[in-house]
Amino acid sequence: MSSPFHYKQFTKFTIFSVFAGFSLIQNELTTYWLFILLFQHDITLFGLGVIARPLVRVFVSYFMGYISDRYDRAKLFYITRGTSGVLFFPLTFSFIYHSIPWIFGIYYIRTIIVELSNNVGYVAYYAVVPEQVRAKAIFYIRIISMASRVLSGAVWYFIYNSIGAYDLFIAGMLGLIGLALLKGLNIGGNSERVKLSTAIDFFRKDQRVRGIILLYSVTDGLTYSINYLLPLLILVYHGTEEIYSLTQSVLYGALVIASFIMTKMKDPVKIALTYILNGFLFYLVLLYPSSYVLLISVLLYGFGAGIVENYVMATIKQSVGNEFLGSVLGLDVLVTSSVEIFLILLGQYLISINVIYYIIVGIVGMTFVLISWLLNPKLRSVKL
């Protein structure tokens, strides 16, 4: 079978991702914009808000990876995804009444639950189809789910300006509808052999696993941080809400195009070098003082992230298989999130002084990534 749609589990997960993708963008744009409106004069509170996801990942992702391998993944996914959807409703009223303790309390509780759900979903994303159709599966699911995200980003400005914080109601309802359509999902788990030390053991003993986790986490941390810093960068570059909305359409449009290109790329060297080059250009274009360069940076991030995914997953799965995939991905998330937290906090501080310092740190970081990749020959011998 050459098409991933021949696998019923993949088809269900794709349908779910349409609702989840639209909900995600409405949630993120509304939440981050409300944070910048409420706390633009208190950069510490703004940073505490946007840093929630990577901060939670640092403390819980490793254990969540273990849990997703040890217990029934489908049950975990239903429980956590459903709870996170319901929590949108009290979060909405917390923003409306400007209750800072409730905002941060509900937001952080929901983030913890979402991260467990995401870890299980991340494993499901790669476990529902065989390796021979994985690249096509990633491409197809991105065409469909990212189209939903592009549309969501395009209409966010109009929805938000019509109903404000109540947009989070829409995010919650769509997430729950998508979950209901996912009934019958079976994505494994219940491994008796997995231990809390499993991911660490792979990281210590397998040079390829260690190399790809470090390469991807540092590069992704350097570029993905723009999603959290966009509201601040928009203010610094004198942008508007329209620019903020448009960046999401550009981002997910780039991911779809890059995913198609990924299905044609079989050379790990070309993939890695293109990915790293995008990281350099991501920062270089920010030297031009216009809010429109943010669209270019987001496009470059989306393109790089889109072409590298199959390479990263092929590298990990060829070493650990499906049984321990959750544990190793949990470690990957832990490392990436640690880098993200550091770079978000450093980035918001540097941007508030002078954006040029943020750019310099990014270029130095990408230089380190390039050197590290060149010194690890096993990362150039992955079979795609």
Side-chain angles (χ1 to χ4, degrees), residues 290-357:
S290 167
S291 62
Y292 289 98
V293 299
L294 297 175
L295 299 177
I296 301 175
S297 279
V298 166
L299 185 150
L300 289 166
Y301 163 68
F303 185 81
I307 65 168
V308 79
E309 187 170 352
N310 190 40
Y311 169 58
V312 172
M313 290 310 304
T315 305
I316 293 176
K317 286 194 69 176
Q318 285 170 25
S319 295
V320 308
N322 276 332
E323 185 179 8
F324 305 120
L325 186 57
S327 297
V328 174
L329 289 178
L331 177 62
D332 178 43
V333 171
L334 168 62
V335 176
T336 302
S337 299
S338 300
V339 175
E340 282 181 3
I341 287 176
F342 172 73
L343 291 174
I344 291 169
L345 293 176
L346 177 62
Q348 72 175 28
Y349 172 72
L350 295 177
I351 292 168
S352 65
I353 299 174
N354 192 323
V355 73
I356 191 68
Y357 298 136

Side-chain angles (χ1 to χ4, degrees), residues 215-230 233 251 274-284 286 294 297-306 308 336 339-340 343-344 358 361-363 365-366 369:
L215 167 70
Y216 181 68
S217 62
V218 174
T219 309
D220 191 63
L222 284 167
T223 54
Y224 185 68
S225 60
I226 195 172
N227 280 352
Y228 301 99
L229 296 171
L230 258 177
L233 285 168
L251 170 60
T274 303
Y275 179 53
I276 295 171
L277 175 62
N278 269 265
F280 278 109
L281 294 176
F282 170 94
Y283 283 98
L284 288 175
L286 291 175
L294 297 175
S297 279
V298 166
L299 185 150
L300 289 166
Y301 163 68
F303 185 81
V308 79
T336 302
V339 175
E340 282 181 3
L343 291 174
I344 291 169
Y358 171 70
V361 168
I363 293 173
M366 290 308 306
V369 168

Side-chain angles (χ1 to χ4, degrees), residues 30 34 92-93 96-97 159-160 163-171:
T30 301
L34 287 172
T92 301
F93 290 110
I96 290 172
Y97 292 106
I159 296 175
Y160 175 78
I163 60 176
Y166 287 106
D167 188 17
L168 294 178
F169 270 29
I170 295 178

